[in-house]
Amino acid sequence: EIVMTQSPATLSVSPGERATLSCRASQSVSSNLAWYQQKPGQAPRLLIYGASTRATGIPARFSGSGSGTEFTLTISSLQSEDFAVYYCQQYNNWPTFGQGTKVEIK
Amino acid sequence: EVQLVESGGGLVQPGGSLRLSCAASGFTFSSYEMNWVRQAPGKGLEWVSYISSSGSTIYYADSVKGRFTISRDNAKNSLYLQMNSLRAEDTAVYYCARDAYHPDYWGQGTLVTVSS
C-alpha cells in the first residue's frame, strides 16, 4: 500500500494570504495524484487531478504541482469559503488518501 | 444535475449485516465506474470498493475483502454494498462516488454504526 503523508496537519492562514499544502508519497505515483476539499458535514469535493489539472468549476486560485513523490496544493489568496480540510489521494495503485491538512483562520 | 443518494445506513450489532444503496440520477449510470469510500468519525478517507461500468471488474480494500460485496443494477441506476460480519471498525460514513481514480461526484453519505 502506498502511504500518503500530508503536512502540516493544521495550517493557520489569514484571509487573502497564500496557503501551501504538501503531500508526500511513500513511493512514486507519477502524476496520479488528486486533491479534495472537505467541509464539516459535507462530502469531499474534487479540486485537482493529474497533479495539476483543475476539476470542472474549480477557481483558478487553486493550483497543484509536483510529480513522483512530492506534491503541493497552493491556494493563492484564501477566501472565507476555503477554510476546510484538504486531502491528497494517489491513484497509481489501489487508491489511498493522506490524513488531511486543516486550513483554519488565523 | 448529477445526484448520488445513499441509503440503508443505521445501527447494527457486531457480526451483523447491512445493505447500502446508492441511487444515481442526472447522468448515464451504465457508462460510469463507481466506488464506495468511507470515513470513520473524525478520521480520514478510506477507499472501500470499486466496480466497473458493466460490473465485470470488482476490487476491494483488504480491510473488507471477504465480508463486503459491491454490485450494481444499471437498469435501476443503482449501486449497492452488502456488508456482512460487521465490526466496530467498520463504523463510518459511507459515500458512493462516481468515476474511477479521482471521483468527481460524491453522495452525501450514509452513517453505519456498529455497536452492541
Side-chain angles (χ1 to χ4, degrees), chain B residues 25-41:
Chain B
S25 60
F27 65 102
T28 305
F29 180 72
S30 59
S31 297
Y32 285 84
E33 299 152 289
M34 297 293 296
N35 309 276
W36 287 100
V37 179
R38 69 183 179 183
Q39 186 170 35

Side-chain angles (χ1 to χ4, degrees), chain B:
Chain B
E1 178 194 5
V2 172
Q3 282 200 322
L4 297 168
V5 180
E6 301 94 337
S7 61
L11 175 64
V12 60
Q13 292 189 337
S17 298
L18 217 51
R19 189 195 196 205
L20 306 183
S21 299
C22 172
S25 60
F27 65 102
T28 305
F29 180 72
S30 59
S31 297
Y32 285 84
E33 299 152 289
M34 297 293 296
N35 309 276
W36 287 100
V37 179
R38 69 183 179 183
Q39 186 170 35
K43 302 297 185 182
L45 298 159
E46 180 187 16
W47 208 285
V48 173
S49 185
Y50 157 93
I51 188 167
S52 63
S53 56
S54 67
S56 60
T57 301
I58 285 172
Y59 300 116
Y60 298 100
D62 286 344
S63 58
V64 306
K65 203 173 292 183
R67 301 187 298 122
F68 289 13
T69 302
I70 190 172
S71 62
R72 64 191 296 160
D73 185 335
N74 286 342
K76 294 183 177 180
N77 292 336
S78 293
L79 176 72
Y80 306 102
L81 187 68
Q82 178 66 43
M83 304 186 295
N84 298 331
S85 303
L86 283 161
R87 306 167 179 167
E89 54 265 35
D90 295 319
T91 294
V93 173
Y94 285 73
Y95 296 101
C96 66
R98 186 184 85 160
D99 220 351
Y101 307 124
H102 43 78
D104 56 354
Y105 284 93
W106 299 58
Q108 85 290 347
T110 187
L111 176 62
V112 172
T113 303
V114 184
S115 175
S116 54

Side-chain angles (χ1 to χ4, degrees), chain A residues 2-3 5 7-8 10-11 17 22 27 29 31 33-34 38-39 42 51 54 58 68 76 78 82 85 92 94 99 104:
Chain A
I2 297 176
V3 177
T5 303
S7 61
T10 303
L11 186 61
E17 289 189 340
S22 296
Q27 63 189 75
V29 298
S31 294
L33 191 285
Q38 188 178 35
K39 297 179 180 179
Q42 296 185 15
R54 277 190 302 277
I58 301 303
S76 59
L78 270 159
D82 300 335
V85 178
N92 197 59
W94 178 257
Q99 80 281 13
E104 64 176 24

Side-chain angles (χ1 to χ4, degrees), chain A residues 28-71:
Chain A
S28 177
V29 298
S30 186
S31 294
N32 298 316
L33 191 285
W35 290 93
Y36 299 85
Q37 176 193 71
Q38 188 178 35
K39 297 179 180 179
Q42 296 185 15
R45 173 194 182 196
L46 177 65
L47 299 175
I48 301 283
Y49 63 92
S52 61
T53 302
R54 277 190 302 277
T56 302
I58 301 303
R61 64 180 181 272
F62 291 92
S63 63
S65 63
S67 66
T69 62
E70 300 285 341
F71 301 89

